[in-house]
Amino acid sequence: QELEVAKKATIEKFSDLGFAVSNPIALEIGTPGHFYFRFPGQKPLVDVYGRVTYCEAHPERAGEFLTYFAFFGLGREALKEIRAYLG
């Protein structure tokens, strides 16, 4: 059986290719993640998978890291919601 653990994270940057979140620990490149979020003013919960592409010390918050994820396996509906938000 799989166990899925969730935590609230702040999305710092966002595009149709991926996003960056602040994190208290550095994550290795290639680490997968499963994310759920809702854009302001939109009802559906967007369910996406991402993989770490880059991780650096947070430029504004000591002791935190800015972790970049690229989407993978992105479904048509999730992409539609993302583009509607960005558009």
Side-chain angles (χ1 to χ4, degrees):
Q1 261 183 344
E2 286 187 30
L3 174 65
E4 191 167 310
V5 177
K7 72 170 193 147
K8 277 193 166 187
T10 302
I11 297 176
E12 305 252 346
K13 299 178 181 190
F14 199 85
S15 77
D16 61 343
L17 300 176
F19 56 97
V21 297
S22 57
N23 203 47
I25 61 170
L27 297 178
E28 288 188 38
I29 291 173
T31 302
H34 189 184
F35 299 88
Y36 304 92
F37 51 86
R38 183 174 288 119
F39 293 116
Q42 292 184 339
K43 274 195 167 184
L45 191 63
V46 180
D47 178 358
V48 300
Y49 290 89
R51 192 171 302 277
V52 175
T53 57
Y54 183 68
C55 186
E56 64 182 355
H58 198 291
E60 298 169 0
R61 291 197 286 270
E64 291 189 28
F65 296 86
L66 195 54
T67 306
Y68 293 81
F69 288 85
F71 294 122
F72 72 88
L74 193 60
R76 180 173 279 141
E77 280 303 309
L79 184 57
K80 179 180 161 187
E81 294 297 327
I82 290 167
R83 287 186 173 157
Y85 174 73
L86 293 172

